């Protein structure tokens, strides 16, 4: 057996270990992100599955401002803020799972010139845009936050695919979403930008990158040159974000993601992390900043003044969703609730709630209903757009009211002993009443509006083809930002339901008793 | 001949209606009709008590058999309200099957509400007493069902029936006793709707006849009704009026077992017999079994 000393020395360039280490950290964290996401399912505890969102300072800041409520879960992101003020944008180079995904895509796309581009101020533009919009009361973070984008891609693109294959060999029912292609197109676009320059998104568009880059200007440790430098330019060529100007021996702290590629490239080790507490000048153009502010001032009122929101009354938000304006400001379109929903009923909205409501969750009962005993969507929501209600409390959080369409109903229109809606209803909100129509007496469904919570089980199970003969509309939806849904009065009404005043079913033959 | 062919040829009706006579014909009895066993008393002994009256589980389950047991766990409802079969009775039935030498027991249902929640709420996992031999299966996919013609069907001409039933050696139907807003009661035969993929289709037909049609091709080897408590209104999903009965009713003849059970309690605060339930009448008219309790050989025991 050879000892370590006897083993052939591994001949590598200095710093190769650093590269491997970085890939290891990046891939492990990406894997962790995916595993935490995959763990969101009924029957598994979702606690801490939102840890990445908790350490995302952009989510914390924008959501807190837009909702005018401190996002307590996001306080953990101050750790990232402090770390960035110490060491710079390491989050982007090591932690961000979208950054890692982009790195992987860039490997596939082939290495392009990492030259600096004029677009690098774009990330400050999106950051200012998001912050100003949040201040004037609209949140667009769902379109720009890297974690939300990746999480949504996992939910709407990868989860349906993965569940299809898992479903081939298990009882898992494959998930499907109405908006998969658009989510896929967004992801492919972001990854495809790597054809221009590596890490295009991170360098030019990512508002989280903008925020951390801005903070990095003030960081205590910065990459810098020291001692004798031959100005060979190897570091500049190795830098994937174009942060280095070797001629002027400068490293732009806002661009540097701490990937350590320069360290590996430098033959003399003259570049490295050093204590440089002096802030670098913030070089966001005044004109660019004004355009960003102006855009936000146009977009925010536009988003908030959409008049066609929920015109059909079919926009059903998950139970415990805060009132709609707050909901739109809190929801970051991460898609976790849609992954969580065991019935696949939570689907991404397209334009039902305005363009800023794209990818927000809505219940589509025809696809899947809200199960009485499940409250998983509220448990996994990272921003409390859907409140984390206890199971029983959730059953009182009304999302709408069922309405029977008698002209389509098998019992009303075709004299069939159907009442599947009554059968499916877990709240005793459908009463079967014997009604005589043209001489035929039969139990026909009526909705008890006081008992109905809009879960949609009736609509999901209605055997009529096409639109169900019983449909849930958002009327009487109970949306609260704080406070409880269960009241003594509601609880009393429900307990009375234990002995419903039902008519004798028409499955019995009258006179044979 | 495997079970599937057996069903497909439609011989099931004739053969099974002769079976009671074949089994019990040697013993002379006053009512020559089918045996219906009813055990009352302590919940933990009810299943064995009922099966003992039928001559023991080993009359039905042979060593090496693959047995499928279908409790009704269709609803994620409060497990004591009566909308679902109790885990306790299911556990007893599974254990009786194993004691009779069953090689494998599959507990299964095709739930109405989300399967994972129904399984959790029913507590049915407690019936998986032996991890090697007993498994729990929820039917969630169309590929788990196979097209089956219903040659004598008057309303329903074919259905996609759970393959697990077609592929098993023995099928034990283990419903709970409950009311039903459309069919009046939901017992053994109504519970067979849980075996088919598109049960909504039955509601577009004459539902009562369609249930009987289905019963004409899917014939359980044994029907055991969990009447530890009955949901006598508000069914099938509950909540509703729950009546404690502490009984288990069992037999081979699905019509007889259902018909007898109708009479053991009031439904919707009214008294009925099997002859007052449309789908049971339809099944009797098709010759699927005995509806008249006076013609049944009713054996009772308190355990």
């Amino acid at each position: 057996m050879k000892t370590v000393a006897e083993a052939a020395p591994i001949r590598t360039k200095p710093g190769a270990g650093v590269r491997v280490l970085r890939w290891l950290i990046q891939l492990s964290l990406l894997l962790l992100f995916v595993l935490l996401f995959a763990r969101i399912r009924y029957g598994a505890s979702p606690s801490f599955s939102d840890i990445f969102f908790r350490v995302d300072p952009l989510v914390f800041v924008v959501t807190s401002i837009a909702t005018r409520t401190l996002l307590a879960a996001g306080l953990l992101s101050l750790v990232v803020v402090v770390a960035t003020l110490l060491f710079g944008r390491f989050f982007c180079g090591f932690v961000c799972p979208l950054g890692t995904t982009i790195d992987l895509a860039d490997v596939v796309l082939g290495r392009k010139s990492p030259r600096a581009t004029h677009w690098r101020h774009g990330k400050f533009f999106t950051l200012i845009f998001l912050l100003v919009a949040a201040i004037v009361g609209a949140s667009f973070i769902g379109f720009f936050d890297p974690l939300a984008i990746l999480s949504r891609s996992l939910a709407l693109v990868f989860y349906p695919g993965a569940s299809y294959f898992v479903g081939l060999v298990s009882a898992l029912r494959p998930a499907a979403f109405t908006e998969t292609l658009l989510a896929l197109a967004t992801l492919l676009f972001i990854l495809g930008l790597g054809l221009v320059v590596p890490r295009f998104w991170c360098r030019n568009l990512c508002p989280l990158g903008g925020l951390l880059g801005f903070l990095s200007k003030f960081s205590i440790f910065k990459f810098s040159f020291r001692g004798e430098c031959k100005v060979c330019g190897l570091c500049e060529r190795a830098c994937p974000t174009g942060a280095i100007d070797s001629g002027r021996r400068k490293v732009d702290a806002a661009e540097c993601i701490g990937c350590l590629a320069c360290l590996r490239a430098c033959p003399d080790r003259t570049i490295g992390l050093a204590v440089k507490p002096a802030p670098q000048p913030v070089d966001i153009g005044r004109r660019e900043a004004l355009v960003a502010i102006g855009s936000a001032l146009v977009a925010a009122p536009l988003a908030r003044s959409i008049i066609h929101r929920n015109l059909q009354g079919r926009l059903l938000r998950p139970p415990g969703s805060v009132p709609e304006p707050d909901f739109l400001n809190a929801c970051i379109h991460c898609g976790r609730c849609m992954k969580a929903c065991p019935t696949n009923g939570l689907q991404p909205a397209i334009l039902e709630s305005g363009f800023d409501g794209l990818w927000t969750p809505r219940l589509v009962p025809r696809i899947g209903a809200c199960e009485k005993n499940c409250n998983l969507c509220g448990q996994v929501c990272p921003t409390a757009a859907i409140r984390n209600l206890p199971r029983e409390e959730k059953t009182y959080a009304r999302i709408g009211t069922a309405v029977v369409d008698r002209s389509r109903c098998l019992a009303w229109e075709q004299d069939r002993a159907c009442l599947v809606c009554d059968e499916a209803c877990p709240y005793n909100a459908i009463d079967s009443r014997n009604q005589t129509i043209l001489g035929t007496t039969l139990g026909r469904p009526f909705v008890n509006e006081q008992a109905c919570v809009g879960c949609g089980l009736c609509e999901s199970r209605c055997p009529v083809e096409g639109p169900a003969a019983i449909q849930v509309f958002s009327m009487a939806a109970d949306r609260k930002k704080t406070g409880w849904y269960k009241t003594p009065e509601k609880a009393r009404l429900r307990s009375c339901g234990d002995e419903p005043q039902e008519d004798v079913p028409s499955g019995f033959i009258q006179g044979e008793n | 001949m495997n079970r599937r062919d057996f069903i497909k040829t439609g011989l099931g009706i004739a053969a099974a209606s002769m079976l009671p006579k074949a089994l019990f014909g040697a013993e002379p009895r006053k009512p020559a009709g089918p045996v219906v066993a009813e055990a009352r008393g302590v919940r933990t002994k009810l299943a064995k008590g009922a099966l003992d009256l039928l001559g023991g589980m080993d009359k039905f389950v042979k060593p090496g058999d693959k047995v499928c047991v279908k409790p009704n766990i269709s609803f994620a409802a409060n497990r004591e309200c009566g909308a679902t079969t109790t885990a306790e009775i299911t556990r007893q039935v599974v254990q009786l099957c194993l004691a009779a030498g069953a090689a494998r027991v599959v507990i299964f249902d095709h739930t109405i509400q989300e399967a994972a929640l129904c399984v959790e709420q029913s507590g049915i996992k407690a019936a998986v007493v032996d991890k090697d031999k007993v498994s729990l299966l929820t039917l969630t996919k169309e590929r788990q069902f196979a097209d089956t013609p219903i040659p004598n069907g008057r309303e329903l001409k074919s259905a996609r029936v759970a393959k697990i039933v077609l592929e098993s050696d023995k099928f034990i139907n283990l419903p709970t006793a409950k009311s039903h807003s459309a069919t009046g009661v939901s017992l053994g035969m109504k519970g067979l709707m849980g075996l088919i993929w598109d049960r909504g289709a039955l509601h577009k037909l004459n539902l009562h006849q369609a249930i009987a049609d289905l019963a004409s091709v899917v014939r359980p080897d044994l029907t055991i009704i969990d009447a530890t408590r009955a949901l006598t209104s508000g069914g099938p999903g509950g909540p509703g009026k729950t009546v404690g009965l502490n009984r288990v009713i069992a037999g081979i003849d699905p019509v007889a077992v259902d018909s007898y059970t109708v009479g053991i309690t009031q439904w919707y605060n009214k008294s009925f017999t099997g002859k007052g339930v449309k789908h049971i009448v339809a099944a009797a008219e098709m010759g699927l079994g005995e509806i008249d309790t006076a013609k049944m050989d009713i054996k009772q025991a308190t355990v």
Side-chain angles (χ1 to χ4, degrees):
Chain A
M1 190 189 204
K2 284 181 179 178
T3 66
V4 175
E6 285 165 345
I10 304 162
R11 299 187 61 85
T12 50
K13 285 201 296 181
V18 170
R19 187 185 184 202
V20 173
L21 183 69
R22 175 165 169 255
W23 270 116
L24 270 179
I25 293 174
Q26 279 191 291
L27 293 175
S28 314
L29 288 172
L30 175 61
L31 187 68
L32 179 67
F33 187 83
V34 173
L35 288 180
L36 287 175
F37 175 84
R39 238 174 77 88
I40 299 174
R41 59 182 173 79
Y42 188 81
S45 162
S47 41
F48 290 106
S49 73
D50 62 346
I51 188 76
F52 279 89
F53 292 92
R54 291 191 188 204
V55 300
D56 180 338
L58 187 73
V59 167
F60 172 60
V61 172
V62 172
T63 306
S64 294
I65 294 174
T67 59
R68 317 290 195 248
T69 311
L70 186 80
L71 181 65
L75 284 169
L76 202 59
S77 67
L78 293 177
V79 174
V80 170
V81 171
V82 170
T84 306
L85 285 172
L86 282 173
F87 301 109
R89 262 177 92 179
F90 277 95
F91 184 89
C92 306
F94 284 82
V95 181
C96 179
L98 183 64
T100 305
T101 310
I102 290 173
D103 276 342
L104 289 170
D106 286 343
V107 169
V108 174
L109 294 172
R111 196 160 185 79
K112 299 289 179 298
S113 156
R115 65 187 182 274
T117 66
H118 296 301
W119 298 338
R120 68 194 164 90
H121 287 166
K123 58 182 175 295
F124 300 117
F125 185 101
T126 53
L127 174 66
I128 294 169
F129 174 81
L130 289 184
L131 290 173
V132 174
I135 289 167
V136 296
S139 176
F140 298 104
I141 189 173
F143 296 97
F144 293 102
D145 182 79
L147 301 183
I149 290 169
L150 186 63
S151 176
R152 180 172 67 239
S153 305
L154 288 176
L156 301 186
V157 180
F158 291 94
Y159 172 49
S163 64
Y164 171 79
F165 287 112
V166 175
L168 289 179
V169 293
S170 77
L172 182 74
R173 206 175 38 205
F177 295 99
T178 53
E179 205 39 77
T180 290
L181 282 179
L182 199 55
L184 174 64
T186 315
L187 181 68
L188 289 181
F189 175 72
I190 289 171
L191 298 181
L193 287 172
L195 286 169
V196 184
V197 287
R199 286 255 184 177
F200 185 102
W201 166 264
C202 317
R203 295 168 62 184
N204 304 316
L205 290 170
C206 180
L208 179 57
L211 178 63
L212 298 178
F214 175 76
L215 294 173
S216 299
K217 297 256 184 194
F218 304 93
S219 66
I220 293 174
F221 290 89
K222 294 189 183 77
F223 278 85
S224 53
F225 292 86
R226 63 196 161 194
E228 279 300 308
C229 168
K230 297 187 195 117
V231 200
C232 65
L234 285 174
C235 55
E236 186 172 335
R237 278 199 291 179
C239 177
T241 62
I244 303 173
D245 183 340
S246 59
R248 290 196 286 176
R249 294 178 37 120
K250 276 192 173 148
V251 181
D252 187 339
E255 301 302 309
C256 174
I257 57 170
C259 72
L260 310 174
C262 51
L263 227 69
R264 205 171 67 248
C266 181
D268 306 323
R269 304 203 173 191
T270 54
I271 193 164
L273 201 59
V275 181
K276 292 275 174 184
Q280 291 183 354
V282 179
D283 55 349
I284 310 165
R286 192 174 297 164
R287 200 178 302 162
E288 288 161 333
L290 282 173
V291 173
I293 293 169
S295 307
L297 292 180
V298 172
L302 204 64
R304 283 294 166 272
S305 62
I306 294 290
I307 57 167
H308 63 257
R309 270 190 225 287
N310 195 19
L311 276 190
Q312 312 299 320
R314 295 280 281 156
L315 183 67
L316 306 172
R317 295 299 192 187
S321 294
V322 295
E324 189 65 12
D326 296 309
F327 183 82
L328 288 169
N329 284 340
C331 177
I332 60 169
H333 314 183
C334 67
R336 287 160 56 86
C337 51
M338 298 176 228
K339 164 70 171 76
C341 184
T343 71
N344 202 201
L346 279 187
Q347 293 281 329
I350 304 173
L351 295 171
E352 297 87 347
S353 63
F355 71 88
D356 55 328
L358 183 69
W359 293 312
T360 56
R362 60 181 288 229
L363 185 74
V364 182
R366 209 55 175 145
I367 297 174
C370 181
E371 286 281 347
K372 186 176 183 181
N373 297 304
C374 174
N375 59 349
L376 195 55
C377 53
Q379 288 183 54
V380 301
C381 179
T383 56
I386 310 169
R387 297 171 63 194
N388 186 2
L389 300 176
R391 275 190 181 191
E392 200 209 347
E393 192 68 28
K394 182 229 104 161
T395 66
Y396 286 91
R398 186 172 185 169
I399 65 174
T401 309
V403 177
V404 178
D405 180 351
R406 292 182 183 177
S407 65
R408 296 178 61 78
C409 175
L410 294 173
W412 279 101
E413 187 64 25
Q414 298 181 27
D415 291 344
R416 294 296 182 192
C418 182
L419 291 166
V420 171
C421 48
D422 178 24
E423 190 173 325
C425 179
Y427 297 94
N428 263 338
I430 315 269
D431 294 334
S432 163
R433 299 265 179 231
N434 289 336
Q435 297 283 307
T436 307
I437 297 177
L438 298 175
T440 305
T441 305
L442 190 69
R444 306 182 207 257
F446 286 79
V447 175
N448 175 351
E449 283 85 1
Q450 280 186 315
C452 180
V453 298
C455 73
L457 265 159
C458 51
E459 184 178 339
S460 78
R461 299 299 188 269
C462 176
V464 172
E465 271 98 5
I470 182 163
Q471 297 191 324
V472 180
F473 292 86
S474 56
M475 62 190 194
D478 197 1
R479 310 269 295 262
K480 288 187 169 73
K481 198 165 180 180
T482 55
W484 298 113
Y485 298 83
K486 183 183 176 183
T487 60
E489 174 64 9
K490 283 197 215 169
R492 194 187 60 77
L493 276 172
R494 193 170 285 183
S495 69
C496 289
D498 282 353
E499 271 202 55
Q501 299 300 307
E502 278 178 292
D503 284 349
V504 173
S506 46
F508 287 119
I509 301 165
Q510 304 298 319
E512 278 290 337
N513 46 336
Chain B
M1 179 188 277
N2 68 26
R3 178 168 177 79
R4 191 165 174 174
D5 293 337
F6 181 75
I7 286 168
K8 279 191 170 173
T9 51
L11 288 172
I13 308 157
S17 57
M18 311 244 307
L19 204 55
K21 281 177 199 159
L23 285 175
F24 303 107
E27 230 175 308
R29 289 185 180 283
K30 280 293 165 198
V35 178
V36 173
E38 180 187 55
R40 307 181 187 203
V42 187
R43 193 183 272 204
T44 51
K45 297 177 180 171
L46 286 175
K48 183 166 191 307
L51 262 296
D52 282 348
L53 292 172
L54 294 176
M57 186 62 99
D58 41 16
K59 266 199 152 149
F60 305 94
V61 173
K62 300 298 170 199
D65 271 357
K66 179 182 177 184
V67 184
C68 63
V69 178
K70 187 205 166 291
N72 185 332
I73 52 164
S74 232
F75 296 90
N78 176 351
R79 67 179 71 161
E80 274 312 310
C81 90
T84 51
T85 306
T86 58
E88 171 59 26
I89 299 297
T90 311
R91 187 188 63 77
Q92 291 172 35
V93 170
V94 169
Q95 268 179 337
L96 289 171
C97 291
L98 292 178
R104 277 193 57 72
V105 180
V106 180
I107 305 164
F108 77 101
D109 197 7
H110 174 203
T111 63
I112 288 177
Q113 289 176 15
E114 196 62 30
L117 285 100
C118 291
V119 167
E120 181 191 60
Q121 202 68 16
S122 64
I124 201 77
K125 277 185 183 160
V128 182
V129 289
D130 180 337
K131 288 227 159 40
D132 296 329
K133 291 181 178 170
V134 186
S135 58
L136 187 61
L137 174 74
T138 50
L139 306 178
T140 54
K141 300 194 179 143
E142 194 165 6
R143 67 158 190 262
Q144 294 169 314
F145 299 81
D147 270 328
T148 307
I150 304 177
N152 297 323
R154 297 179 186 178
E155 283 277 323
L156 196 64
K157 301 296 182 191
S158 76
R160 290 184 72 76
V161 175
K163 286 180 183 168
I164 182 71
V165 176
L166 305 174
E167 289 162 359
S168 296
D169 299 311
K170 298 286 154 51
F171 166 41
I172 297 175
N173 193 14
L174 185 54
T176 182
K178 61 178 174 177
S179 54
H180 193 283
S181 48
T183 57
V185 291
S186 174
L187 303 169
M189 289 188 289
K190 173 71 180 70
L192 296 178
M193 277 177 75
L195 299 182
I196 62 170
W197 173 244
D198 183 13
R199 59 184 141 218
L202 270 68
H203 290 276
K204 295 172 195 163
L205 308 168
N206 177 335
L207 177 65
H208 316 293
Q209 182 60 50
I211 291 168
D213 291 344
L214 184 62
S216 74
V217 287
V218 187
R219 193 147 180 121
D221 296 281
L222 197 54
T223 300
I224 304 172
I225 299 185
D226 177 354
T228 48
R229 68 278 183 274
L231 178 68
T232 65
S233 75
K241 184 174 177 183
T242 304
V243 180
L245 296 173
N246 295 317
R247 300 182 211 197
V248 162
I249 294 104
I252 299 171
D253 181 333
V255 182
V257 173
D258 278 9
S259 179
Y260 177 77
T261 306
V262 172
I264 64 170
T265 185
Q266 287 198 324
W267 304 94
Y268 300 90
N269 298 321
K270 284 194 167 68
S271 299
F272 292 95
T273 66
K275 290 178 180 174
V277 180
K278 288 178 183 170
H279 70 268
I280 300 179
V281 171
E285 281 174 0
M286 289 178 82
L288 302 181
E290 183 56 63
I291 193 168
D292 192 345
T293 45
K295 292 179 184 162
M296 297 173 199
D297 178 6
I298 294 156
K299 298 184 175 186
Q300 291 170 313
T302 303
V303 291

